[in-house]
Amino acid sequence: MTRRYTIVIEKADDGSYSVFVPDLPGCISCGDTPEEARAMIQEAIAGHIQLLKDSGQPIPEPRSTAEVVATK
């Protein structure tokens, strides 16, 4: 079963990028570029879900969405 989770990528003061998954609390990663952060969070999601399965916990369904809002 394929799930599609929303991720949030934030640029840090040091120029690196942190990334987290709102629907998977504690699932975080980072990278030197946005692309690297995306790749790293895919691995983190897979590991996070495997740990949930191994411990008999339910896998949260994706619920979050994201939008960009322009301001003046």
Side-chain angles (χ1 to χ4, degrees):
M1 176 179 185
T2 300
R3 292 179 173 92
R4 299 176 58 87
Y5 288 100
T6 298
I7 63 170
V8 178
I9 301 173
E10 300 174 328
K11 188 170 185 177
D13 291 339
D14 68 0
S16 66
Y17 294 83
S18 62
V19 58
F20 68 95
V21 185
D23 293 327
L24 297 173
C27 187
I28 60 172
S29 195
C30 60
D32 292 331
T33 65
E35 295 78 20
E36 183 179 14
R38 268 188 219 94
M40 298 301 290
I41 199 64
Q42 284 182 302
E43 290 181 30
I45 290 169
H48 192 91
I49 288 174
Q50 189 60 52
L51 287 172
L52 290 172
K53 286 180 181 178
D54 291 349
S55 63
Q57 296 182 52
I59 310 303
E61 291 298 323
R63 298 180 305 164
S64 297
T65 60
E67 294 184 29
V68 175
V69 178
T71 63
K72 292 184 181 186

